[in-house]
Amino acid sequence: EAGVTQFPSHSVIEKGQTVTLRCDPISGHDNLYWYRRVMGKEIKFLLHFVKESKQDESGMPNNRFLAERTGGTYSTLKVQPAELEDSGVYFCASSQVREKLFFGSGTQLSVL
Amino acid sequence: DAKTTQPTSMDCAEGRAANLPCNHSTISGNEYVYWYRQIHSQGPQYIIHGLKNNETNEMASLIITEDRKSSTLILPHATLRDTAVYYCIVTKTSYDKVIFGPGTSLSVIP
């Protein structure tokens, strides 16, 4: 069974540019989560989808971040325009019945 | 969700049992104790969870005190690959988000 897939694995962009991260959850998982870890800080929740609907987006930092999940399958997280403080590792996780979350390997975003 | 308290760091000799404690004195009756870990540069990995009974799986054992105010994650024979940050999380089994704290950094020493 394929796990949670994220790409790209690494992205280096300049301040002010746009970046789109993608997450493919495990097939059949209705719940999809985005998390972020900034260097030296704790893993922070960003938002939660149930199918295509945003269940909880309380962790989204600001309106430069836009998450979508078209058709309840894969999800994208777009940062526009990127700022230096957006650098970090972005993790995606999915679950069906929420007994445990399966995490992807993350996307390392560096904003220069 | 109830708050958890874990030691910042621990060492364990390779081949020995690693016992990682967690305090969750404000846990409520319908909240579960979950453990995840993050091995350097990888995504977090689920280990085990429980409500009030002790649990065991292929990775670890979870011992929860009778009053449920604390628990211990046991890795029975720690290997170098178990070096990671371990997170104790208390949450309801629902669609609530999982909130990570600072966790315990476990170093398994040869």
Side-chain angles (χ1 to χ4, degrees), chain B residues 77-94:
Chain B
H77 306 287
T79 71
L80 300 179
R81 289 174 295 181
D82 292 320
T83 293
V85 179
Y86 287 77
Y87 300 95
C88 171
I89 298 162
V90 170
T91 190
K92 302 178 182 64
T93 299
S94 64

Side-chain angles (χ1 to χ4, degrees), chain A:
Chain A
E1 179 185 276
V4 176
T5 305
Q6 293 186 247
F7 43 92
S9 57
H10 295 83
S11 180
V12 181
I13 61 172
E14 293 187 352
K15 176 182 171 180
Q17 290 186 322
T18 297
V19 63
T20 300
L21 314 181
R22 174 168 168 148
C23 170
D24 285 68
I26 292 173
S27 177
H29 281 192
D30 290 338
N31 296 284
L32 188 149
Y33 306 80
W34 283 98
Y35 287 83
R36 177 175 73 174
R37 183 167 202 167
V38 174
M39 186 179 294
K41 300 285 184 64
E42 297 168 12
I43 300 171
K44 183 174 182 282
F45 166 83
L46 297 179
L47 90 160
H48 169 205
F49 283 101
V50 178
K51 297 184 179 179
E52 67 274 11
S53 299
K54 291 177 185 174
Q55 179 79 10
D56 182 348
E57 53 183 329
S58 60
M60 293 288 266
N62 50 60
N63 59 10
R64 295 185 294 103
F65 288 75
L66 175 63
E68 294 181 322
R69 191 180 182 195
T70 306
T73 54
Y74 71 91
S75 175
T76 59
L77 180 64
K78 180 161 60 174
V79 185
Q80 178 182 31
E83 299 288 346
L84 299 179
E85 64 263 26
D86 300 333
S87 295
V89 183
Y90 289 76
F91 293 106
C92 174
S94 74
S95 71
Q96 185 50 306
V97 176
R98 204 198 71 69
E99 287 202 343
K100 57 183 175 181
L101 270 59
F102 295 86
F103 283 82
S105 299
T107 294
Q108 173 75 57
L109 175 63
S110 298
V111 182
L112 307 179

